[in-house]
Amino acid sequence: MIVAASLMMMLATAPSADAVGTGRKEFSKCLSAQLQPALDKKLALADFQTESRKACADKEAAFRAAIVASDKADKMSDAAANSDADDQISEYVDKIASEYDESSQPR
């Protein structure tokens, strides 16, 4: 009985969602959703990158905020937390740009 009460208290105080994981998933999903419409429009790679960043700006901002908050909670400096966020966001942007570039090549 005491174990069950302890478990219930731990579950009640646990965060309901992982903000970084959720932000990552939503940002990635948004970027991926830009791929086919841009291919259909035959956008240049630079235009695809610009348009996809604009379309996903709110998701990028949420992802960035979650990374920075998590890093600062782990005692990282502001500069290190922002650098980590820049790196993680760049990885996703570079990945989708690479996919776009490969998909837009004539076969």
Coordinates of all heavy atoms in Angstrom, one line a residue:
M1 N 0.8 -1.2 0.0 CA 0.0 0.0 0.0 C 0.9 1.3 0.0 O 0.6 2.2 -0.8 CB -0.9 0.0 1.2 CG -1.9 1.1 1.3 SD -3.2 0.8 0.2 CE -4.5 1.7 1.0
I2 N 1.9 1.3 0.8 CA 2.8 2.4 0.9 C 3.5 2.6 -0.4 O 3.7 3.7 -0.9 CB 3.8 2.3 2.1 CG1 3.0 2.4 3.4 CG2 4.8 3.4 2.0 CD1 3.8 2.2 4.6
V3 N 4.0 1.4 -1.0 CA 4.7 1.5 -2.3 C 3.8 2.0 -3.4 O 4.2 2.9 -4.2 CB 5.2 0.0 -2.7 CG1 5.7 0.0 -4.1 CG2 6.2 -0.5 -1.6
A4 N 2.5 1.6 -3.4 CA 1.6 2.1 -4.4 C 1.4 3.6 -4.2 O 1.3 4.4 -5.2 CB 0.2 1.4 -4.3
A5 N 1.3 4.1 -3.0 CA 1.1 5.5 -2.7 C 2.3 6.3 -3.2 O 2.2 7.4 -3.8 CB 0.8 5.8 -1.3
S6 N 3.5 5.8 -2.9 CA 4.8 6.4 -3.3 C 4.9 6.5 -4.8 O 5.2 7.5 -5.4 CB 6.0 5.6 -2.8 OG 6.0 5.6 -1.4
L7 N 4.5 5.4 -5.5 CA 4.5 5.4 -7.0 C 3.5 6.4 -7.6 O 3.9 7.1 -8.5 CB 4.2 4.0 -7.5 CG 4.2 3.8 -9.0 CD1 5.5 4.1 -9.6 CD2 3.8 2.3 -9.3
M8 N 2.4 6.5 -7.0 CA 1.4 7.4 -7.5 C 1.9 8.9 -7.3 O 1.7 9.7 -8.1 CB 0.0 7.2 -6.8 CG -0.7 6.0 -7.3 SD -2.2 5.5 -6.5 CE -3.1 7.1 -6.4
M9 N 2.6 9.2 -6.2 CA 3.1 10.5 -5.9 C 4.2 10.8 -6.9 O 4.3 11.9 -7.4 CB 3.6 10.6 -4.5 CG 2.5 10.6 -3.5 SD 2.5 11.5 -2.0 CE 3.6 12.8 -2.2
M10 N 5.0 9.8 -7.2 CA 6.1 10.1 -8.2 C 5.5 10.3 -9.6 O 6.0 11.2 -10.3 CB 7.1 8.9 -8.2 CG 8.0 8.8 -7.0 SD 9.1 7.4 -7.0 CE 9.1 6.6 -8.5
L11 N 4.5 9.6 -10.0 CA 3.9 9.8 -11.3 C 3.2 11.1 -11.3 O 3.2 11.8 -12.4 CB 2.9 8.6 -11.6 CG 3.6 7.3 -11.8 CD1 2.5 6.2 -12.0 CD2 4.4 7.3 -13.1
A12 N 2.6 11.6 -10.3 CA 1.9 12.8 -10.2 C 2.9 14.0 -10.4 O 2.5 15.0 -11.0 CB 1.1 13.0 -9.0
T13 N 4.1 13.9 -9.9 CA 5.1 14.9 -10.0 C 6.0 14.9 -11.2 O 6.7 15.8 -11.5 CB 6.0 15.0 -8.7 OG1 6.7 13.8 -8.6 CG2 5.1 15.2 -7.5
A14 N 5.9 13.8 -11.9 CA 6.7 13.6 -13.1 C 6.2 14.6 -14.2 O 5.0 14.8 -14.3 CB 6.7 12.2 -13.6
P15 N 7.1 15.1 -15.0 CA 6.7 16.0 -16.1 C 5.8 15.2 -17.1 O 6.0 14.0 -17.4 CB 8.0 16.4 -16.8 CG 9.1 15.7 -16.2 CD 8.6 14.9 -15.0
S16 N 4.7 15.9 -17.6 CA 3.8 15.2 -18.4 C 4.3 14.9 -19.8 O 3.9 14.0 -20.5 CB 2.5 16.0 -18.5 OG 2.8 17.3 -19.1
A17 N 5.3 15.7 -20.2 CA 5.9 15.5 -21.6 C 7.3 16.0 -21.6 O 7.7 16.9 -20.9 CB 5.1 16.2 -22.6
D18 N 8.1 15.4 -22.4 CA 9.5 15.8 -22.6 C 9.5 17.0 -23.6 O 9.3 16.7 -24.8 CB 10.3 14.6 -23.1 CG 11.7 15.0 -23.5 OD1 12.3 16.0 -23.0 OD2 12.3 14.3 -24.3
A19 N 9.7 18.2 -23.1 CA 9.6 19.3 -24.0 C 10.6 19.3 -25.1 O 10.3 19.7 -26.2 CB 9.8 20.6 -23.1
V20 N 11.9 18.8 -24.9 CA 12.9 18.8 -25.9 C 12.4 17.7 -27.0 O 12.5 18.0 -28.2 CB 14.3 18.5 -25.4 CG1 15.3 18.3 -26.5 CG2 14.7 19.6 -24.4
G21 N 12.0 16.6 -26.5 CA 11.6 15.5 -27.4 C 10.4 15.9 -28.2 O 10.3 15.7 -29.5
T22 N 9.4 16.6 -27.6 CA 8.2 17.1 -28.3 C 8.6 18.1 -29.3 O 8.2 18.1 -30.5 CB 7.2 17.6 -27.3 OG1 6.8 16.5 -26.4 CG2 6.0 18.1 -28.0
G23 N 9.5 19.1 -28.9 CA 9.9 20.1 -29.8 C 10.7 19.6 -31.0 O 10.5 20.0 -32.1
R24 N 11.5 18.6 -30.7 CA 12.3 18.0 -31.8 C 11.4 17.3 -32.8 O 11.5 17.5 -34.0 CB 13.3 17.0 -31.2 CG 14.1 16.2 -32.2 CD 15.0 15.2 -31.6 NE 16.1 15.9 -30.9 CZ 16.2 15.9 -29.6 NH1 15.5 15.2 -28.8 NH2 17.2 16.6 -29.0
K25 N 10.4 16.6 -32.3 CA 9.5 15.9 -33.1 C 8.6 16.8 -34.0 O 8.5 16.6 -35.2 CB 8.5 15.0 -32.3 CG 7.5 14.2 -33.0 CD 6.7 13.3 -32.1 CE 5.6 12.6 -32.8 NZ 4.7 11.9 -31.9
E26 N 8.1 17.9 -33.4 CA 7.3 18.8 -34.1 C 8.1 19.6 -35.1 O 7.6 19.9 -36.2 CB 6.6 19.8 -33.1 CG 5.6 19.1 -32.2 CD 4.4 18.5 -33.0 OE1 3.9 19.1 -33.9 OE2 4.1 17.3 -32.7
F27 N 9.3 20.0 -34.8 CA 10.1 20.7 -35.8 C 10.5 19.8 -36.9 O 10.4 20.2 -38.1 CB 11.4 21.2 -35.1 CG 12.3 22.0 -35.9 CD1 11.9 23.1 -36.7 CD2 13.7 21.7 -36.0 CE1 12.7 23.9 -37.4 CE2 14.5 22.5 -36.8 CZ 14.0 23.6 -37.5
S28 N 10.9 18.6 -36.6 CA 11.2 17.6 -37.7 C 10.0 17.4 -38.6 O 10.1 17.3 -39.8 CB 11.7 16.4 -37.1 OG 12.0 15.4 -38.1
K29 N 8.9 17.2 -38.0 CA 7.6 16.9 -38.7 C 7.3 18.1 -39.7 O 6.9 17.9 -40.8 CB 6.5 16.6 -37.8 CG 5.2 16.1 -38.5 CD 4.2 15.5 -37.5 CE 3.9 16.3 -36.3 NZ 2.7 15.8 -35.6
C30 N 7.4 19.3 -39.2 CA 7.2 20.5 -39.9 C 8.1 20.6 -41.1 O 7.7 20.9 -42.3 CB 7.3 21.7 -39.1 SG 6.8 23.3 -39.9
L31 N 9.4 20.4 -40.9 CA 10.4 20.5 -42.0 C 10.1 19.4 -43.0 O 10.1 19.7 -44.2 CB 11.8 20.3 -41.4 CG 12.4 21.4 -40.6 CD1 13.7 21.0 -40.0 CD2 12.5 22.7 -41.4
S32 N 9.8 18.2 -42.6 CA 9.5 17.1 -43.5 C 8.2 17.4 -44.4 O 8.2 17.1 -45.6 CB 9.3 15.8 -42.8 OG 10.5 15.4 -42.2
A33 N 7.3 18.1 -43.8 CA 6.0 18.4 -44.5 C 6.3 19.5 -45.6 O 5.5 19.6 -46.5 CB 5.0 19.0 -43.5
Q34 N 7.4 20.2 -45.6 CA 7.7 21.2 -46.6 C 8.3 20.6 -47.8 O 8.4 21.2 -48.9 CB 8.7 22.2 -46.0 CG 8.2 22.9 -44.7 CD 6.8 23.4 -44.7 OE1 6.4 24.1 -45.6 NE2 6.0 23.0 -43.7
L35 N 8.8 19.3 -47.7 CA 9.6 18.7 -48.8 C 8.8 18.5 -50.1 O 9.2 19.1 -51.1 CB 10.1 17.4 -48.3 CG 11.2 16.7 -49.1 CD1 12.4 17.5 -49.1 CD2 11.5 15.3 -48.4
Q36 N 7.7 17.8 -50.0 CA 7.0 17.5 -51.3 C 6.4 18.8 -52.0 O 6.6 18.9 -53.2 CB 5.9 16.5 -51.1 CG 5.3 15.9 -52.4 CD 6.4 15.3 -53.3 OE1 7.1 14.5 -52.9 NE2 6.4 15.8 -54.5
P37 N 5.8 19.7 -51.2 CA 5.3 20.9 -51.9 C 6.4 21.7 -52.6 O 6.2 22.2 -53.7 CB 4.7 21.7 -50.8 CG 4.3 20.7 -49.7 CD 5.4 19.6 -49.8
A38 N 7.6 21.7 -52.0 CA 8.7 22.5 -52.6 C 9.2 21.7 -53.8 O 9.6 22.4 -54.8 CB 9.9 22.6 -51.5
L39 N 9.2 20.4 -53.8 CA 9.6 19.6 -54.9 C 8.6 19.8 -56.1 O 9.0 20.0 -57.2 CB 9.7 18.1 -54.6 CG 10.9 17.7 -53.7 CD1 10.7 16.2 -53.3 CD2 12.2 17.8 -54.5
D40 N 7.4 19.9 -55.7 CA 6.3 20.2 -56.7 C 6.5 21.5 -57.4 O 6.3 21.7 -58.6 CB 4.9 20.1 -56.1 CG 4.6 18.7 -55.7 OD1 5.3 17.7 -56.1 OD2 3.6 18.5 -54.9
K41 N 7.0 22.5 -56.6 CA 7.2 23.9 -57.1 C 8.6 24.0 -57.8 O 8.8 25.0 -58.4 CB 7.1 24.9 -56.0 CG 5.8 25.1 -55.4 CD 5.9 26.1 -54.2 CE 4.6 26.1 -53.4 NZ 4.8 27.0 -52.2
K42 N 9.4 22.9 -57.7 CA 10.7 22.9 -58.2 C 11.6 24.1 -57.7 O 12.3 24.8 -58.5 CB 10.7 22.9 -59.7 CG 10.0 21.7 -60.3 CD 10.1 21.7 -61.8 CE 9.3 20.7 -62.5 NZ 9.2 19.3 -62.1
L43 N 11.5 24.3 -56.4 CA 12.3 25.4 -55.8 C 13.8 25.1 -55.8 O 14.2 24.0 -55.7 CB 11.8 25.6 -54.3 CG 10.4 26.1 -54.1 CD1 10.2 26.2 -52.6 CD2 10.2 27.5 -54.7
A44 N 14.6 26.1 -55.9 CA 16.0 26.0 -55.8 C 16.3 25.6 -54.3 O 15.5 26.0 -53.4 CB 16.7 27.3 -56.1
L45 N 17.4 25.0 -54.1 CA 17.7 24.6 -52.7 C 17.7 25.7 -51.7 O 17.1 25.6 -50.6 CB 19.1 23.9 -52.7 CG 19.6 23.4 -51.3 CD1 18.6 22.4 -50.7 CD2 21.0 22.8 -51.4
A46 N 18.3 26.8 -52.1 CA 18.3 28.0 -51.2 C 16.9 28.5 -50.9 O 16.6 28.9 -49.7 CB 19.1 29.1 -51.8
D47 N 16.0 28.5 -51.9 CA 14.6 28.9 -51.7 C 13.9 27.9 -50.8 O 13.1 28.3 -49.9 CB 13.9 29.1 -53.0 CG 14.5 30.2 -53.9 OD1 15.0 31.2 -53.3 OD2 14.3 30.1 -55.1
F48 N 14.2 26.6 -51.0 CA 13.6 25.6 -50.1 C 14.0 25.9 -48.7 O 13.1 25.8 -47.8 CB 14.0 24.2 -50.5 CG 13.6 23.2 -49.5 CD1 12.3 22.8 -49.3 CD2 14.6 22.6 -48.7 CE1 12.0 21.9 -48.3 CE2 14.3 21.7 -47.8 CZ 13.0 21.3 -47.5
Q49 N 15.2 26.1 -48.4 CA 15.7 26.3 -47.1 C 15.1 27.6 -46.5 O 14.6 27.5 -45.3 CB 17.2 26.5 -47.1 CG 18.0 25.2 -47.4 CD 19.5 25.4 -47.5 OE1 19.9 26.2 -48.3 NE2 20.2 24.6 -46.8
T50 N 15.0 28.6 -47.2 CA 14.3 29.9 -46.7 C 12.9 29.6 -46.4 O 12.4 30.0 -45.3 CB 14.5 31.0 -47.7 OG1 15.9 31.2 -48.0 CG2 13.8 32.3 -47.3
E51 N 12.2 29.0 -47.4 CA 10.7 28.8 -47.2 C 10.4 27.8 -46.0 O 9.5 28.1 -45.3 CB 10.1 28.3 -48.5 CG 10.1 29.3 -49.6 CD 9.3 30.5 -49.3 OE1 8.1 30.4 -48.8 OE2 9.7 31.6 -49.6
S52 N 11.2 26.8 -45.9 CA 10.9 25.8 -44.8 C 11.2 26.4 -43.5 O 10.5 26.2 -42.5 CB 11.7 24.5 -45.1 OG 13.1 24.7 -45.1
R53 N 12.3 27.2 -43.4 CA 12.6 27.9 -42.1 C 11.5 28.8 -41.7 O 11.1 28.9 -40.6 CB 13.9 28.6 -42.2 CG 15.2 27.8 -42.3 CD 15.5 26.9 -41.1 NE 16.0 27.6 -39.9 CZ 17.3 27.8 -39.6 NH1 18.2 27.4 -40.3 NH2 17.5 28.4 -38.4
K54 N 10.9 29.6 -42.7 CA 9.8 30.5 -42.4 C 8.6 29.7 -42.0 O 7.9 30.1 -41.0 CB 9.5 31.3 -43.7 CG 10.2 32.6 -43.8 CD 9.5 33.4 -44.9 CE 10.5 33.7 -46.0 NZ 9.9 34.4 -47.1
A55 N 8.3 28.7 -42.7 CA 7.1 27.9 -42.4 C 7.1 27.2 -41.0 O 6.1 27.0 -40.4 CB 6.8 26.8 -43.5
C56 N 8.3 26.9 -40.6 CA 8.5 26.2 -39.3 C 9.1 27.1 -38.2 O 9.6 26.5 -37.2 CB 9.4 25.0 -39.6 SG 8.7 23.8 -40.8
A57 N 9.0 28.4 -38.4 CA 9.7 29.3 -37.4 C 9.1 29.1 -36.0 O 9.9 29.1 -35.0 CB 9.5 30.7 -37.9
D58 N 7.8 28.9 -35.9 CA 7.2 28.7 -34.5 C 7.7 27.4 -33.9 O 8.0 27.3 -32.7 CB 5.7 28.8 -34.6 CG 5.1 27.8 -35.5 OD1 5.7 27.3 -36.5 OD2 3.9 27.4 -35.2
K59 N 7.8 26.3 -34.7 CA 8.3 25.0 -34.2 C 9.8 25.1 -33.8 O 10.2 24.5 -32.8 CB 8.0 23.9 -35.2 CG 6.6 23.8 -35.7 CD 5.7 23.2 -34.7 CE 4.4 22.8 -35.2 NZ 3.4 23.9 -35.3
E60 N 10.5 25.8 -34.7 CA 11.9 26.0 -34.4 C 12.1 26.8 -33.1 O 13.0 26.4 -32.2 CB 12.6 26.7 -35.5 CG 14.1 27.0 -35.3 CD 14.8 27.7 -36.4 OE1 14.4 27.6 -37.5 OE2 15.8 28.3 -36.1
A61 N 11.3 27.8 -32.9 CA 11.5 28.6 -31.6 C 11.1 27.8 -30.4 O 11.8 27.9 -29.4 CB 10.5 29.8 -31.7
A62 N 10.1 27.0 -30.5 CA 9.7 26.1 -29.4 C 10.8 25.1 -29.1 O 11.1 24.8 -27.9 CB 8.4 25.4 -29.7
F63 N 11.3 24.5 -30.1 CA 12.4 23.5 -30.0 C 13.6 24.2 -29.3 O 14.2 23.7 -28.4 CB 12.8 22.9 -31.3 CG 13.8 21.8 -31.4 CD1 13.9 20.9 -30.3 CD2 14.7 21.7 -32.4 CE1 14.9 19.9 -30.4 CE2 15.6 20.7 -32.5 CZ 15.7 19.8 -31.4
R64 N 14.0 25.4 -29.8 CA 15.1 26.1 -29.3 C 14.9 26.4 -27.8 O 15.8 26.2 -27.0 CB 15.3 27.4 -30.1 CG 16.4 28.4 -29.5 CD 16.5 29.6 -30.3 NE 17.0 29.4 -31.6 CZ 18.3 29.0 -31.9 NH1 19.2 28.9 -31.0 NH2 18.6 28.8 -33.1
A65 N 13.7 26.9 -27.5 CA 13.4 27.3 -26.1 C 13.5 26.1 -25.2 O 14.1 26.2 -24.1 CB 12.1 27.9 -26.0
A66 N 13.1 24.9 -25.7 CA 13.1 23.7 -24.9 C 14.5 23.2 -24.6 O 14.9 22.8 -23.5 CB 12.3 22.6 -25.5
I67 N 15.3 23.3 -25.7 CA 16.8 22.9 -25.5 C 17.5 23.8 -24.6 O 18.2 23.3 -23.6 CB 17.5 22.9 -26.9 CG1 16.9 21.9 -27.8 CG2 19.0 22.7 -26.7 CD1 17.4 22.1 -29.3
V68 N 17.3 25.1 -24.7 CA 18.0 26.1 -23.9 C 17.5 25.9 -22.4 O 18.4 25.9 -21.5 CB 17.8 27.5 -24.3 CG1 18.2 28.5 -23.3 CG2 18.5 27.7 -25.7
A69 N 16.2 25.7 -22.2 CA 15.7 25.5 -20.8 C 16.3 24.3 -20.2 O 16.7 24.3 -19.0 CB 14.2 25.5 -20.8
S70 N 16.3 23.2 -21.0 CA 16.8 21.9 -20.5 C 18.3 22.0 -20.1 O 18.8 21.6 -19.1 CB 16.6 20.8 -21.5 OG 17.2 19.6 -21.1
D71 N 19.1 22.7 -21.1 CA 20.5 22.8 -20.8 C 20.8 23.7 -19.6 O 21.7 23.4 -18.8 CB 21.2 23.4 -22.1 CG 21.3 22.4 -23.2 OD1 21.0 21.2 -23.0 OD2 21.7 22.8 -24.3
K72 N 20.0 24.8 -19.5 CA 20.3 25.7 -18.3 C 19.9 25.0 -17.0 O 20.5 25.2 -16.0 CB 19.5 27.0 -18.5 CG 20.2 27.8 -19.6 CD 19.4 29.1 -19.9 CE 19.7 30.1 -18.8 NZ 19.2 31.4 -19.0
A73 N 18.9 24.1 -17.1 CA 18.5 23.3 -15.9 C 19.6 22.4 -15.5 O 19.8 22.0 -14.4 CB 17.2 22.5 -16.1
D74 N 20.4 22.0 -16.5 CA 21.6 21.1 -16.3 C 22.8 21.9 -16.0 O 24.0 21.4 -16.1 CB 21.8 20.2 -17.5 CG 20.8 19.1 -17.7 OD1 20.1 18.8 -16.7 OD2 20.6 18.6 -18.8
K75 N 22.7 23.2 -15.7 CA 23.7 24.1 -15.3 C 24.7 24.6 -16.4 O 25.8 24.9 -16.2 CB 24.5 23.5 -14.1 CG 23.7 23.0 -13.0 CD 23.1 24.1 -12.2 CE 22.4 23.6 -11.0 NZ 21.1 24.1 -10.7
M76 N 24.2 24.5 -17.6 CA 25.0 25.0 -18.8 C 24.9 26.5 -18.8 O 23.9 27.1 -18.3 CB 24.5 24.5 -20.1 CG 24.9 23.2 -20.5 SD 24.3 22.9 -22.2 CE 25.6 21.9 -22.8
S77 N 25.9 27.2 -19.3 CA 25.9 28.6 -19.4 C 24.9 29.0 -20.5 O 24.6 28.2 -21.4 CB 27.3 29.2 -19.7 OG 27.7 28.8 -21.1
D78 N 24.5 30.3 -20.5 CA 23.6 30.8 -21.6 C 24.3 30.5 -23.0 O 23.6 30.1 -23.9 CB 23.4 32.3 -21.5 CG 22.4 32.6 -20.3 OD1 21.7 31.6 -19.8 OD2 22.3 33.7 -19.9
A79 N 25.5 30.9 -23.1 CA 26.2 30.7 -24.4 C 26.3 29.3 -24.8 O 26.0 28.9 -26.0 CB 27.6 31.3 -24.3
A80 N 26.6 28.4 -23.9 CA 26.7 26.9 -24.2 C 25.3 26.4 -24.6 O 25.2 25.6 -25.5 CB 27.3 26.2 -23.1
A81 N 24.3 26.8 -23.9 CA 22.9 26.3 -24.1 C 22.5 26.8 -25.5 O 21.9 26.0 -26.3 CB 22.0 26.8 -23.1
N82 N 22.7 28.0 -25.8 CA 22.4 28.6 -27.1 C 23.2 27.9 -28.3 O 22.6 27.7 -29.3 CB 22.5 30.1 -27.2 CG 21.3 30.8 -26.5 OD1 20.2 30.6 -26.9 ND2 21.6 31.4 -25.4
S83 N 24.4 27.7 -28.0 CA 25.2 27.0 -29.0 C 24.7 25.6 -29.3 O 24.7 25.1 -30.4 CB 26.7 26.9 -28.5 OG 27.5 26.2 -29.5
D84 N 24.4 24.9 -28.2 CA 23.8 23.5 -28.3 C 22.5 23.6 -29.1 O 22.3 22.8 -30.0 CB 23.5 22.9 -27.0 CG 23.0 21.5 -27.0 OD1 23.4 20.7 -27.9 OD2 22.1 21.1 -26.2
A85 N 21.6 24.6 -28.9 CA 20.4 24.7 -29.6 C 20.7 25.0 -31.1 O 20.1 24.4 -32.0 CB 19.6 25.8 -29.0
D86 N 21.6 25.9 -31.4 CA 22.0 26.2 -32.8 C 22.5 24.9 -33.5 O 22.1 24.6 -34.6 CB 23.2 27.2 -32.8 CG 22.7 28.6 -32.4 OD1 21.5 28.9 -32.4 OD2 23.6 29.4 -32.1
D87 N 23.3 24.1 -32.8 CA 23.9 22.9 -33.4 C 22.7 21.9 -33.7 O 22.7 21.3 -34.8 CB 24.9 22.2 -32.5 CG 26.2 23.0 -32.4 OD1 26.4 23.9 -33.2 OD2 27.0 22.7 -31.4
Q88 N 21.8 21.7 -32.7 CA 20.8 20.7 -32.9 C 19.8 21.1 -34.0 O 19.4 20.3 -34.9 CB 20.0 20.5 -31.6 CG 20.8 19.7 -30.6 CD 20.0 19.2 -29.5 OE1 18.9 18.6 -29.7 NE2 20.5 19.4 -28.2
I89 N 19.5 22.4 -34.1 CA 18.6 22.9 -35.1 C 19.3 22.8 -36.5 O 18.7 22.4 -37.5 CB 18.2 24.3 -34.8 CG1 17.2 24.3 -33.6 CG2 17.5 25.0 -36.0 CD1 16.9 25.7 -33.0
S90 N 20.6 23.1 -36.5 CA 21.3 23.0 -37.8 C 21.3 21.6 -38.3 O 21.2 21.4 -39.5 CB 22.7 23.5 -37.6 OG 22.7 24.9 -37.4
E91 N 21.5 20.6 -37.4 CA 21.5 19.2 -37.9 C 20.2 18.9 -38.6 O 20.2 18.2 -39.6 CB 21.6 18.3 -36.7 CG 23.0 18.3 -36.1 CD 23.2 17.4 -34.9 OE1 22.4 16.4 -34.8 OE2 24.0 17.7 -34.1
Y92 N 19.0 19.3 -38.1 CA 17.7 19.0 -38.7 C 17.6 19.8 -40.0 O 17.1 19.2 -41.0 CB 16.6 19.3 -37.7 CG 16.4 18.2 -36.7 CD1 17.1 18.2 -35.5 CD2 15.7 17.1 -37.0 CE1 17.0 17.2 -34.6 CE2 15.5 16.0 -36.1 CZ 16.2 16.1 -34.9 OH 16.1 15.1 -34.0
V93 N 18.0 21.0 -40.0 CA 17.9 21.8 -41.2 C 18.8 21.3 -42.3 O 18.4 21.1 -43.5 CB 18.2 23.3 -41.0 CG1 18.3 24.1 -42.2 CG2 17.1 23.9 -40.0
D94 N 20.0 20.9 -42.0 CA 21.0 20.3 -42.9 C 20.5 19.0 -43.5 O 20.6 18.7 -44.7 CB 22.3 20.1 -42.3 CG 23.0 21.5 -42.0 OD1 22.6 22.5 -42.5 OD2 24.0 21.4 -41.3
K95 N 19.9 18.2 -42.6 CA 19.4 16.9 -43.0 C 18.2 17.0 -44.0 O 18.2 16.4 -45.1 CB 18.9 16.1 -41.8 CG 18.3 14.7 -42.1 CD 17.9 14.0 -40.8 CE 17.3 12.6 -41.1 NZ 16.0 12.6 -41.7
I96 N 17.3 17.9 -43.8 CA 16.2 18.1 -44.7 C 16.6 18.7 -46.0 O 16.1 18.4 -47.1 CB 15.0 18.8 -44.0 CG1 13.7 18.6 -44.8 CG2 15.2 20.3 -43.9 CD1 13.1 17.2 -44.7
A97 N 17.6 19.6 -45.9 CA 18.1 20.2 -47.1 C 18.8 19.2 -48.0 O 18.7 19.2 -49.2 CB 19.1 21.4 -46.7
S98 N 19.6 18.3 -47.3 CA 20.2 17.2 -48.1 C 19.2 16.3 -48.7 O 19.4 15.9 -49.9 CB 21.1 16.4 -47.1 OG 21.7 15.4 -47.8
E99 N 18.1 16.0 -48.0 CA 17.1 15.2 -48.6 C 16.4 15.9 -49.8 O 16.2 15.2 -50.8 CB 16.0 14.8 -47.5 CG 16.4 13.8 -46.5 CD 15.3 13.6 -45.5 OE1 14.1 13.7 -45.8 OE2 15.7 13.3 -44.3
Y100 N 16.2 17.2 -49.6 CA 15.6 17.9 -50.7 C 16.5 17.9 -51.9 O 16.1 17.7 -53.1 CB 15.3 19.4 -50.3 CG 14.7 20.2 -51.4 CD1 13.3 20.0 -51.6 CD2 15.4 21.0 -52.2 CE1 12.7 20.7 -52.6 CE2 14.8 21.7 -53.2 CZ 13.4 21.6 -53.4 OH 12.8 22.2 -54.5
D101 N 17.8 18.2 -51.7 CA 18.8 18.3 -52.8 C 18.8 16.9 -53.5 O 18.8 16.9 -54.8 CB 20.2 18.6 -52.2 CG 21.1 19.0 -53.3 OD1 20.7 19.6 -54.3 OD2 22.3 18.7 -53.2
E102 N 18.9 15.8 -52.8 CA 18.9 14.5 -53.4 C 17.6 14.2 -54.2 O 17.7 13.7 -55.3 CB 19.1 13.4 -52.4 CG 20.5 13.4 -51.8 CD 20.6 12.4 -50.6 OE1 19.8 11.5 -50.5 OE2 21.6 12.5 -49.9
S103 N 16.5 14.6 -53.6 CA 15.2 14.3 -54.3 C 14.9 15.2 -55.5 O 14.2 14.8 -56.4 CB 14.1 14.5 -53.3 OG 14.2 13.6 -52.2
S104 N 15.6 16.4 -55.5 CA 15.3 17.3 -56.6 C 16.3 17.0 -57.8 O 16.1 17.6 -58.9 CB 15.5 18.7 -56.2 OG 16.8 19.0 -55.8
Q105 N 17.2 16.1 -57.7 CA 18.1 15.8 -58.8 C 17.4 15.0 -59.8 O 16.6 14.1 -59.5 CB 19.3 15.0 -58.3 CG 20.2 15.8 -57.3 CD 20.8 17.0 -57.8 OE1 21.3 17.1 -59.0 NE2 20.7 18.1 -57.1
P106 N 17.7 15.3 -61.1 CA 17.1 14.4 -62.2 C 17.6 13.0 -62.1 O 18.7 12.8 -61.7 CB 17.5 15.1 -63.5 CG 18.3 16.3 -63.1 CD 18.5 16.3 -61.6
R107 N 16.7 12.1 -62.5 CA 17.1 10.7 -62.4 C 17.3 10.1 -63.7 O 16.7 10.4 -64.7 CB 16.0 9.9 -61.6 CG 16.0 10.4 -60.2 CD 15.1 9.7 -59.4 NE 15.1 10.4 -58.1 CZ 14.9 10.0 -57.0 NH1 14.6 8.7 -56.8 NH2 15.0 10.7 -55.9

